Amino acid sequence: MTDQILYCRDCNQEFTFTIGEQEFYASRGLTNTPSRCPECRAARKQANGGSHGGFQQREARQMYTATCASCGNEATVPFQPRDDRPVYCRDCYQPRETSYSTNNRSSW
């Protein structure tokens, strides 16, 4: 292997695809050489919000407030609470989740 001189598809500037970079690409199973210089790759990544492979970052979830069925404190949850289902705050839900999974495992 030797360093390769490549040309960026965006800015047409020459850049070096070093032996170390080639070894890194090979270790990840990547067979194509980069088509953009490091600066254009960084700018493209920044423009995409830091995402990889064209995937967009998810929008922030809408959160809802409810009253905890166990302690009465305010709870913030990622779903619309219903009157017929109890909602628990983080502190009260964790012990219930642990005891539920432990109880169900013993009955298998």
Side-chain angles (χ1 to χ4, degrees):
M1 268 193 220
T2 60
D3 286 352
Q4 295 179 21
I5 303 300
L6 303 175
Y7 293 89
C8 178
R9 69 189 274 183
D10 290 346
C11 68
N12 294 319
Q13 293 295 327
E14 182 180 284
F15 69 98
T16 304
F17 187 38
T18 66
I19 294 171
E21 291 170 323
Q22 292 173 50
E23 289 171 349
F24 175 79
Y25 271 54
S27 73
R28 299 291 190 268
L30 303 171
T31 56
N32 297 330
T33 58
S35 59
R36 291 180 176 86
C37 67
E39 293 79 16
C40 288
R41 274 185 272 164
R44 184 174 166 91
K45 185 176 180 181
Q46 183 69 30
N48 288 335
S51 65
H52 297 288
F55 293 103
Q56 297 297 317
Q57 290 183 332
R58 185 187 318 186
E59 289 183 28
R61 278 187 174 178
Q62 181 176 357
M63 300 299 279
Y64 301 89
T65 57
T67 302
C68 176
S70 182
C71 70
N73 287 332
E74 184 176 284
T76 304
V77 293
F79 57 87
Q80 179 72 51
R82 299 183 343 204
D83 290 334
D84 62 332
R85 304 286 307 249
V87 174
Y88 300 98
C89 67
R90 181 179 303 249
D91 293 334
C92 293
Y93 180 77
Q94 294 296 341
R96 294 178 56 82
E97 181 181 66
T98 303
S99 65
Y100 175 77
S101 62
T102 302
N103 291 340
N104 280 344
R105 253 189 245 135
S106 62
S107 65
W108 289 350

